Amino acid sequence: MKAICFNFEIHQPFRLKRYRFFDIGKDHYYYDDFLNDDIVTRIAQQSYIPAAETLLKMVEAGGGKFRFSIAMSGVAIEQFEQYVPEFIDLLKRLADTRCVEFVAQPYAHSLASLADPDEFANQIKVCCEKLHSLFGVTPKVVRNTEFIYCDELAPQLVALGFKAALTEGAKHILGWKSPNYVYTAASAPKLKLLLRNPKLSDDIARRFSDTSWSEFPLTADKYIDWIASTPGEEQIVNLFMNLETFGDHQPATSGIFQFLEALPRFAAERGIDFLTPSEAVSKIKPVGELSILHPISGADEARDTSAWLGNRLQNEAFNKLYSVAERVRLCDDRRLKQDWWYLQTSDHFYYMATKHMADGAAHSSFSPYETPFQAFTNYMNVLADFIVRVEEQYPLSIENEELNSLLTTIRNQAEEIETLNKEVSSMRKNIEQYNIEHRDREEVPAEAPAKAKTTRKPRAKAAPKAEAKEPKAPKASTRKKKEE
């Protein structure tokens, strides 16, 4: 059996407005609502909605044989709820088919896994809660931001309850190995790994409408033939890409929607199935462990984290942001916490990149800023105001040791409260059990008298026999004769 595992990512950041140095301390609202509304609505209309409608049609036409997964960030969901609620309704219809698996990822599409495990775990948890509230699902598979993954992350993912993770099939990690297998994490064997097939994924995501490509035009039957021609023992081909590939990166005029819709028919002719990630790791046996010592990602030719943390500007902004992480988690200000998430979104650091991507394009081609330096300056102005607000609640004059001591006390108190709650719950159960048993004992004497009479009758009959054996008193006449 050979199968295709599709995963489509949906993410849009909250883009920042132009924020000047003189706004620090005066203006606490950081976002360009007009730009966000315009971009999200436009991409939804030309990409997300027609792509989702096409996928729904494919599921219904195939009677449930066509299956795939979606990974969606929480910040994107918030914007869809605000600007394009009809897209959320369409996703709910897809969820109702039970042919779509929703994959978890950090709520803010952040780089928290590289700096703050507690923040990473919290964002994953909140994302799962959001997906459950909207679609009634509980994710068992996770896709970290931009496929970032390393051995250090695997045990935490297992502890969070995930059975599989999606990551990049990076050549410098695989070497001679193929991404078309299921692997297990070397540091946590319970976690299965599904690796993106870079070539076949990018044939659709990057090269589909490239007229200079030697394989142009790409047709559905040709593409399925490529998958079918892979070695027979390679059972799973993971095609992971952004959903905006369809209609935005590859315009509708290129025939991308017709190509997508035709895939199941040609796959069926070649005996190729479609599986969700959970189905893939359940049905296909892993071939071995995979060790990844340093973080990898799906970005750029290097497949590392340099797209976000590759220069001094990015690292300065990144370190400054996470320097206040513990203080933000202590506060109860909902607006401050919301800004904390929005500012963590990886896109802000991506806009600061000064390197070029694998295809030669600059990162700034996806940026609302003219230069990486402008992106850095604007972000740092916003971050400066944000830190002022954090300091108002937890002054930076508090030393880290004092703060850590305070955090330790709070955590110990939380653990103590949790322990006491468990003890109270246990005592309540014991009391309920005691009351039940005591009530049963009180009900027994109501039947006791009737049973007592039946047991005492034999004893009453035996008593006269015992008295008959005792010597009788002599008669009065007999006593007189003896006296004479």
Side-chain angles (χ1 to χ4, degrees), residues 31-49:
Y31 314 104
D32 191 332
D33 292 335
F34 177 80
L35 182 63
N36 289 323
D37 185 357
D38 178 66
I39 292 177
V40 170
T41 302
R42 174 178 56 79
I43 294 179
Q45 296 299 330
Q46 71 182 25
S47 174
Y48 294 147
I49 290 177

Side-chain angles (χ1 to χ4, degrees), residues 317-336:
F318 183 78
N319 294 332
K320 193 75 172 177
L321 174 67
Y322 283 98
S323 68
V324 297
E326 295 285 10
R327 289 171 168 80
V328 175
R329 279 196 288 273
L330 282 173
C331 77
D332 296 322
D333 188 330
R334 293 182 60 186
R335 183 65 200 178
L336 195 68

Side-chain angles (χ1 to χ4, degrees), residues 317-383:
F318 183 78
N319 294 332
K320 193 75 172 177
L321 174 67
Y322 283 98
S323 68
V324 297
E326 295 285 10
R327 289 171 168 80
V328 175
R329 279 196 288 273
L330 282 173
C331 77
D332 296 322
D333 188 330
R334 293 182 60 186
R335 183 65 200 178
L336 195 68
K337 286 180 176 287
Q338 187 180 58
D339 290 337
W340 164 245
W341 278 352
Y342 293 174
L343 291 178
Q344 288 185 69
T345 303
S346 63
D347 303 64
H348 301 310
F349 303 95
Y350 190 83
Y351 300 151
M352 302 176 198
T354 52
K355 60 183 292 188
H356 289 267
M357 296 180 291
D359 58 3
H363 286 224
S364 58
S365 59
F366 295 94
S367 173
Y369 303 98
E370 294 179 3
T371 67
F373 304 100
Q374 188 184 88
F376 171 76
T377 302
N378 199 70
Y379 182 83
M380 293 304 286
N381 287 341
V382 170
L383 186 58

Side-chain angles (χ1 to χ4, degrees), residues 15-33:
R15 295 164 182 83
L16 303 175
K17 67 181 181 182
R18 294 297 187 269
Y19 195 89
R20 301 174 306 161
F21 174 80
F22 300 102
D23 294 327
I24 298 173
K26 299 177 182 178
D27 182 2
H28 301 321
Y29 191 78
Y30 312 133
Y31 314 104
D32 191 332
D33 292 335

Side-chain angles (χ1 to χ4, degrees), residues 45 55 64 86 221 287 304 345:
Q45 296 299 330
L55 292 170
E86 61 269 30
D221 56 340
V287 296
D304 57 13
T345 303

Side-chain angles (χ1 to χ4, degrees), residues 55-105:
L55 292 170
L56 181 61
K57 189 188 304 182
M58 293 164 68
V59 169
E60 293 172 344
K65 292 183 179 180
F66 178 70
R67 311 173 73 81
F68 62 96
S69 64
I70 290 175
M72 184 161 48
S73 69
V75 291
I77 293 175
E78 287 188 27
Q79 292 184 81
F80 295 137
E81 289 177 325
Q82 183 175 355
Y83 303 126
V84 200
E86 61 269 30
F87 180 55
I88 297 292
D89 294 335
L90 188 53
L91 290 175
K92 289 179 179 179
R93 290 176 59 190
L94 280 170
D96 291 340
T97 65
R98 298 184 180 277
C99 294
V100 183
E101 178 176 10
F102 286 87
V103 173
Q105 66 171 268

Side-chain angles (χ1 to χ4, degrees), residues 108-410:
H109 200 74
S110 71
L111 306 173
S113 61
L114 300 174
D116 193 332
D118 290 339
E119 178 65 22
F120 173 74
N122 184 48
Q123 288 193 26
I124 291 289
K125 178 183 177 182
V126 175
C127 181
C128 290
E129 291 172 352
K130 186 69 172 180
L131 293 175
H132 186 271
S133 67
L134 285 176
F135 310 117
V137 298
T138 302
K140 291 299 179 183
V141 178
V142 61
R143 167 177 169 161
N144 193 14
T145 302
E146 301 296 338
F147 298 119
I148 293 174
Y149 174 83
C150 65
D151 288 344
E152 187 178 350
L153 189 62
Q156 185 179 14
L157 296 179
V158 172
L160 290 172
F162 295 105
K163 63 181 182 181
L166 311 184
T167 188
E168 179 69 18
K171 290 182 180 180
H172 71 279
I173 295 297
L174 289 173
W176 56 269
K177 298 177 182 177
S178 169
N180 301 334
Y181 291 101
V182 176
Y183 294 90
T184 59
S187 56
K190 289 185 178 180
L191 185 73
K192 307 298 189 301
L193 300 177
L194 291 176
L195 310 181
R196 174 179 178 266
N197 185 306
K199 179 188 180 304
L200 290 172
S201 296
D202 289 345
D203 284 343
I204 298 175
R206 293 180 179 273
R207 293 181 280 271
F208 182 83
S209 59
D210 183 3
T211 55
S212 64
W213 182 33
S214 60
E215 298 294 343
F216 181 86
L218 180 61
T219 59
D221 56 340
K222 181 198 294 187
Y223 189 76
I224 292 297
D225 283 343
W226 290 349
I227 294 176
S229 63
T230 57
E233 63 273 13
E234 296 182 2
Q235 297 181 324
I236 186 74
V237 177
N238 301 306
L239 304 177
F240 304 159
M241 61 197 75
N242 294 329
L243 188 62
E244 60 199 89
T245 293
F246 305 93
D248 186 41
H249 297 169
Q250 307 299 333
T253 54
S254 68
I256 189 68
F257 290 111
Q258 292 79 5
F259 167 84
L260 178 63
E261 192 172 352
L263 289 177
R265 178 167 65 89
F266 290 103
E269 292 177 358
R270 302 301 299 268
I272 298 174
D273 296 329
F274 291 90
L275 298 176
T276 64
S278 288
E279 292 171 339
V281 298
S282 297
K283 295 181 178 181
I284 301 175
K285 186 177 179 180
V287 296
E289 293 184 347
L290 191 64
S291 179
I292 303 175
L293 299 178
H294 303 288
I296 62 170
S297 76
D300 299 349
E301 189 174 5
R303 297 293 194 261
D304 57 13
T305 60
S306 60
W308 309 274
L309 300 174
N311 62 42
R312 294 179 63 183
L313 302 178
Q314 293 168 313
N315 281 280
E316 171 67 18
F318 183 78
N319 294 332
K320 193 75 172 177
L321 174 67
Y322 283 98
S323 68
V324 297
E326 295 285 10
R327 289 171 168 80
V328 175
R329 279 196 288 273
L330 282 173
C331 77
D332 296 322
D333 188 330
R334 293 182 60 186
R335 183 65 200 178
L336 195 68
K337 286 180 176 287
Q338 187 180 58
D339 290 337
W340 164 245
W341 278 352
Y342 293 174
L343 291 178
Q344 288 185 69
T345 303
S346 63
D347 303 64
H348 301 310
F349 303 95
Y350 190 83
Y351 300 151
M352 302 176 198
T354 52
K355 60 183 292 188
H356 289 267
M357 296 180 291
D359 58 3
H363 286 224
S364 58
S365 59
F366 295 94
S367 173
Y369 303 98
E370 294 179 3
T371 67
F373 304 100
Q374 188 184 88
F376 171 76
T377 302
N378 199 70
Y379 182 83
M380 293 304 286
N381 287 341
V382 170
L383 186 58
D385 182 80
F386 175 77
I387 292 177
V388 168
R389 293 164 58 201
V390 174
E391 188 174 5
E392 288 176 356
Q393 301 203 27
Y394 292 95
L396 298 182
S397 58
I398 300 177
E399 297 294 334
N400 287 336
E401 292 183 1
E402 295 180 54
L403 183 62
N404 290 335
S405 176
L406 178 61
L407 291 172
T408 300
T409 301
I410 292 173

